[in-house]
Amino acid sequence: MSIPILPLPGRAFLSVLSARHDEFRPMLRPRLEEILGSIDYESQPIPFNRTSYYDSELGTPISRHILSFERPLPLDGLAEVKLATNRLEAEWALDGRRLFNLDPGYVTQERLVLATGKNFTHRVYLSHGIWADLTLIFQGGDWRDLPWTFPDYAAPAVKTHLTRIREMYRDSLKHLTSLEDTPCLKV
């Protein structure tokens, strides 16, 4: 028989895709911090050019900004975060088109998990119509792609940022005395 134990919280992660970052960033940043806590890492823009999937909706050229948040994220809080980011996307949509695409997830020592509203063979249902996508695993000192990893997440530019976020997460664990003392995100 296995004995259930609560996992350590993860490091909240968010990828923002947009062709109009400068227009919405001043308004979006405080709203994201209301949901996820203080931003402690933000990448420079990363060109999003491996697919044209979002071009007609978001415009061009699209870039990605990767953010992480200081406050730990309970792993079972991911579905609520995705619902909150979906509301932000809808709130700022113009003529039925989003200004940005928000992909929330979490980084742990072992993996990057993203939240999605779309089912697929490798995705695990969480709640409220939200699925967990095991996007990358960390093994042997590096990020490992999986057969379903999106090409942009498999890119070295993204993995470099993920490695830095993972290092920040590992450093934060050194100061963790118990799960009860952790100021986790309550969504």
Side-chain angles (χ1 to χ4, degrees):
M1 169 174 90
S2 64
I3 306 296
I5 59 168
L6 291 176
L8 291 172
R11 169 79 47 159
F13 165 89
L14 186 75
S15 168
V16 182
L17 291 179
S18 182
R20 301 163 67 178
H21 286 279
D22 293 336
E23 289 178 47
F24 72 80
R25 183 186 287 156
M27 297 175 294
L28 181 61
R29 187 180 182 103
R31 297 290 298 280
L32 291 173
E33 289 184 328
E34 285 174 21
I35 297 166
L36 293 161
S38 298
I39 295 171
D40 63 1
Y41 183 85
E42 182 172 0
S43 73
Q44 294 298 314
I46 303 166
F48 183 79
N49 51 18
R50 294 182 180 260
T51 179
S52 59
Y53 182 81
Y54 294 105
D55 289 2
S56 63
E57 182 179 19
L58 300 178
T60 60
I62 297 172
S63 62
R64 176 189 307 277
H65 283 252
I66 293 175
L67 309 174
S68 89
F69 300 82
E70 183 178 331
R71 191 182 317 142
L73 174 66
L75 304 188
D76 58 2
L78 184 56
E80 293 296 327
V81 171
K82 179 63 174 170
L83 294 172
T85 58
N86 283 353
R87 287 189 294 271
L88 289 178
E89 289 178 355
E91 180 181 328
W92 278 317
L94 296 174
D95 301 322
R97 294 173 48 196
R98 295 178 295 172
L99 292 176
F100 44 81
N101 176 49
L102 302 175
D103 282 334
Y106 59 78
V107 173
T108 65
Q109 294 186 78
E110 308 87 5
R111 65 190 64 89
L112 168 67
V113 174
L114 298 177
T116 180
K118 300 171 190 148
N119 184 15
F120 203 65
T121 55
H122 65 280
R123 294 178 178 159
V124 177
Y125 186 71
L126 297 174
S127 66
H128 299 90
I130 304 301
W131 303 81
D133 182 300
L134 176 59
T135 303
L136 294 166
I137 59 173
F138 196 86
Q139 227 175 27
D142 203 359
W143 293 102
R144 304 286 180 214
D145 304 338
L146 300 163
W148 49 82
T149 300
F150 295 109
D152 52 318
Y153 280 98
V158 171
K159 288 179 179 177
T160 297
H161 295 291
L162 291 173
T163 298
R164 178 64 188 125
I165 292 167
R166 182 179 178 273
E167 289 167 356
M168 293 168 63
Y169 171 68
R170 287 175 53 88
D171 286 344
S172 72
L173 293 179
K174 293 175 187 173
H175 306 290
L176 185 68
T177 55
S178 74
L179 287 177
E180 290 78 28
D181 295 336
T182 305
C184 288
L185 173 68
K186 304 286 192 239
V187 288

